[in-house]
Amino acid sequence: MNQLHPIMFAGTGSDVGKSIVAAAFCRIFRQDGYRPAPFKAQNMALNSYATPEGLEIGRAQAVQAEAAAIPCHTDMNPLLLKPNSDHTSQVVLNGKPIGNKDAYDYWRGKGQETGGERIDFRQEVCAAFDRLAARYNPIVMEGAGSIAEINLKDRDLVNMSMAKHAKADVILVGDIDRGGVFASVYGSIMLQTPEDRRLIRGIIINKFRGDIRLFDEGRKMLEDICGVPVLGVIPYYKDIYIDEEDSVSLEQKRRQWAEGKVNVAVVLLRHISNFTDFDTLERHPRVNLFYTNNIADIQRADVIILPGTKATLDDLLELRRNGCAQAIVSAHRNGKTVVGICGGYQMLGISVADPDHVEGDIASLPGLGLLPIHTTMSATKTTQQVTFMFEGQACQGYEIHQGVSDTDEAILQTDHCIGTYIHGFLDNAPVVNFLLRDKGVAPAQSLADFKEEQYDKLAAHVRQYVDIDRIYQILSDND
């Protein structure tokens, strides 16, 4: 196959669909005989994933690698920021946490001190890209947020500066569903320097609703004012399911109990992480999975899930303050099933201690007492992919957590209560069938088969509405 330029899907803002469009092109290039790989220099997300080497990257790049049918690797997302609060984030570099960073210092470009040495983040992400580009063709790059944050431009590691290093062709993605697409696309282009503006080779309008022919005139107007071709207008879809990591997608999740369904309540934590753990259950036609901290809804749900969190002790304290802890214990006492994953698993134990203040100021708290474990927080992070047995069948998942519990059990089960450190636990059909089988629900479909079907559907959807031949022409152009 001929060598293609790297392609970057940059955005007019957050949640415009960059991750999904990038995943679509990872699958399209793979279908067309290429060997693509995803890349995002810097990601900010609490939904992360463990690579086969036991290192940590953003969930979106793991999904994109899956769409490309290759193993995920830290070179695909060398810099991951995991927010601890509104002002600080844990910095994960090349898959390993290197400490916390104040947001102001980070965005002022002050680097990171590790072992007495100052790390040059720009050098690190560029080196990761270079390693990846030597192994795959083409590299499907994703930008972050808006490319027009001119106040941060001199410290940009992930958008236009990365495109320049990669010599990438940039495709600007705009979200028409939220309104203002003409202003956001035009402004995003015109706020670039002349040098950066030349890198923008096309525009994709995403999330269109209604009769697409109604935008024909708008498409021409956008091309005229921007001087850049509109390569596609992608309609909004509801029947394709791809994991999303952005917290904006969490805000759009269901929040209410529903009549006539198996109600699964995910307790809404302030520092919730890896909420993609629940996507498989959420898609089940007989299940109403919703996020809540409403005490009444928690108590009447059929299954209650305590999810992962970036701040176990802080969220545990809040559960006690808002009454959710008591509601969970009461529901369990009344025969309801309670499941704890990662930080939620730790909260279900007898105690959680943080003597070295790894998470913050809280030294220890009693847990909900539903599982016979004690947990101690530690600075060392466990990140690994795992295979486990459940109901006599082999299952898969991954661990990403800080803290050590005094049990060797990967899954701890008592009466009506299950706890585990394994993310992806609920993606396994034997687990889902076990939780729902006494509620008259049919066995679940294989997740692997389901995902392959969804990536192919996404690729077909994008092929239908984007000028793929023009994309290939742009990526092959030697000018």
Side-chain angles (χ1 to χ4, degrees):
M1 305 295 291
N2 62 309
Q3 187 72 27
L4 300 177
H5 307 168
I7 184 170
M8 172 181 279
F9 294 100
T12 58
S14 296
D15 198 43
V16 299
K18 299 183 294 292
S19 296
I20 297 297
V21 172
F25 274 89
C26 282
R27 177 52 58 110
I28 287 168
F29 290 135
R30 182 71 183 195
Q31 290 173 336
D32 290 350
Y34 289 90
R35 192 164 182 256
F39 178 81
K40 186 169 184 176
Q42 173 190 287
N43 208 339
M44 178 174 280
L46 284 176
N47 281 351
S48 57
Y49 194 80
T51 70
E53 297 81 16
L55 300 169
E56 190 174 8
I57 65 170
R59 177 82 181 182
Q61 280 61 63
V63 167
Q64 291 158 3
E66 202 169 56
I70 58 174
C72 61
H73 190 276
T74 57
D75 283 347
M76 299 172 184
N77 176 214
L79 188 55
L80 173 63
L81 306 179
K82 303 188 74 174
N84 294 320
S85 68
D86 291 341
H87 304 290
T88 63
S89 291
Q90 182 185 64
V91 179
V92 179
L93 180 64
N94 295 321
K96 297 180 180 180
I98 59 171
N100 295 328
K101 190 73 174 174
D102 178 86
Y104 180 82
D105 287 345
Y106 183 85
W107 291 112
R108 295 304 298 173
K110 294 188 177 179
Q112 180 88 18
E113 292 281 356
T114 299
E117 296 183 5
R118 185 169 294 278
I119 297 171
D120 185 331
F121 289 134
R122 188 179 304 280
Q123 182 177 323
E124 292 288 343
V125 298
C126 288
F129 173 86
D130 293 344
R131 290 191 296 268
L132 201 66
R135 305 196 302 273
Y136 295 98
N137 170 40
I139 304 301
V140 181
M141 305 169 68
E142 182 188 338
S146 165
I147 61 167
E149 306 291 357
I150 56 177
N151 58 314
L152 300 175
K153 191 172 183 64
D154 61 332
R155 296 177 290 282
D156 168 43
L157 300 177
V158 65
N159 287 312
M160 300 308 288
S161 68
M162 194 67 232
K164 280 190 287 192
H165 172 81
K167 298 180 174 59
D169 295 313
V170 177
I171 309 299
L172 181 63
V173 180
D175 177 0
I176 197 170
D177 187 47
R178 65 177 59 187
V181 73
F182 289 94
S184 61
V185 170
Y186 178 78
S188 296
I189 293 173
M190 293 305 141
L191 284 172
Q192 303 303 312
T193 64
E195 178 188 9
D196 287 352
R197 201 175 302 151
R198 284 191 290 271
L199 298 177
I200 302 173
R201 304 294 304 278
I203 299 164
I204 288 177
I205 303 300
N206 198 24
K207 304 184 186 180
F208 187 89
R209 296 179 190 262
D211 189 334
I212 204 165
R213 293 172 297 180
L214 296 175
F215 195 68
D216 286 348
E217 184 180 0
R219 180 176 186 151
K220 185 177 186 308
M221 293 171 68
L222 201 54
E223 290 180 335
D224 288 344
I225 64 172
C226 295
V228 177
V230 175
L231 301 175
V233 180
I234 304 175
Y236 198 97
Y237 61 78
K238 292 184 178 179
D239 60 343
I240 305 172
Y241 301 95
I242 308 293
D243 286 349
E244 296 188 62
E245 71 174 6
D246 202 307
S247 60
V248 176
S249 65
L250 177 60
E251 294 169 7
Q252 299 166 351
K253 301 284 189 182
R254 287 191 291 269
R255 298 297 172 97
Q256 292 181 320
W257 191 90
E259 193 70 48
K261 296 264 192 176
V262 178
N263 280 277
V264 178
V266 179
V267 181
L268 190 58
L269 305 176
R270 290 194 299 183
H271 305 286
I272 188 171
S273 64
N274 287 75
F275 55 83
T276 51
D277 280 340
F278 317 118
D279 285 357
T280 298
L281 265 180
E282 186 178 25
R283 289 190 295 263
H284 199 294
R286 291 287 308 281
V287 169
N288 174 56
L289 185 139
F290 65 105
Y291 292 75
T292 186
N293 53 18
N294 180 284
I295 293 171
D297 282 349
I298 289 173
Q299 289 181 318
R300 64 176 178 163
D302 299 292
V303 178
I304 301 154
I305 300 177
L306 258 179
T309 169
K310 190 65 180 67
T312 301
L313 285 152
D314 189 60
D315 278 339
L316 178 55
L317 181 62
E318 182 61 23
L319 288 183
R320 293 195 171 282
R321 285 174 175 164
N322 64 19
C324 287
Q326 296 89 326
I328 295 167
V329 172
S330 174
H332 177 262
R333 191 182 302 121
N334 291 329
K336 303 299 181 69
T337 301
V338 177
V339 179
I341 297 177
C342 200
Y345 171 40
Q346 295 171 340
M347 293 185 210
L348 291 178
I350 297 169
S351 68
V352 182
D354 188 9
D356 297 326
H357 299 284
V358 173
E359 285 195 348
D361 296 332
I362 304 173
S364 66
L365 282 174
L368 275 61
L370 301 186
L371 293 174
I373 61 166
H374 298 268
T375 298
T376 302
M377 289 299 164
S378 62
T380 303
K381 180 180 282 192
T382 298
T383 55
Q384 60 185 358
Q385 294 187 357
V386 296
T387 299
F388 63 97
M389 299 299 294
F390 194 89
E391 295 285 281
Q393 297 185 58
C395 300
Q396 293 181 321
Y398 60 99
E399 294 183 29
I400 297 178
H401 64 89
Q402 287 180 292
V404 178
S405 300
D406 56 354
T407 176
D408 294 328
E409 300 291 333
I411 302 160
L412 191 59
Q413 230 172 315
T414 63
D415 188 31
H416 304 300
C417 189
I418 303 174
T420 181
Y421 274 120
I422 300 171
H423 293 291
F425 179 64
L426 297 170
D427 287 338
N428 294 278
V431 177
V432 173
N433 295 338
F434 175 83
L435 289 176
L436 303 180
R437 68 186 176 192
D438 63 344
K439 300 171 179 65
V441 176
Q445 176 189 9
S446 157
L447 180 66
D449 291 344
F450 177 83
K451 283 186 171 183
E452 283 300 299
E453 181 182 282
Q454 300 310 305
Y455 291 133
D456 286 341
K457 285 173 67 175
L458 177 64
H461 182 72
V462 170
R463 281 185 189 274
Q464 184 176 354
Y465 297 102
V466 174
D467 189 342
I468 303 297
D469 289 341
R470 185 74 178 274
I471 296 271
Y472 276 120
Q473 182 182 349
I474 290 169
L475 299 186
S476 303
D477 189 355
N478 292 321
D479 290 343

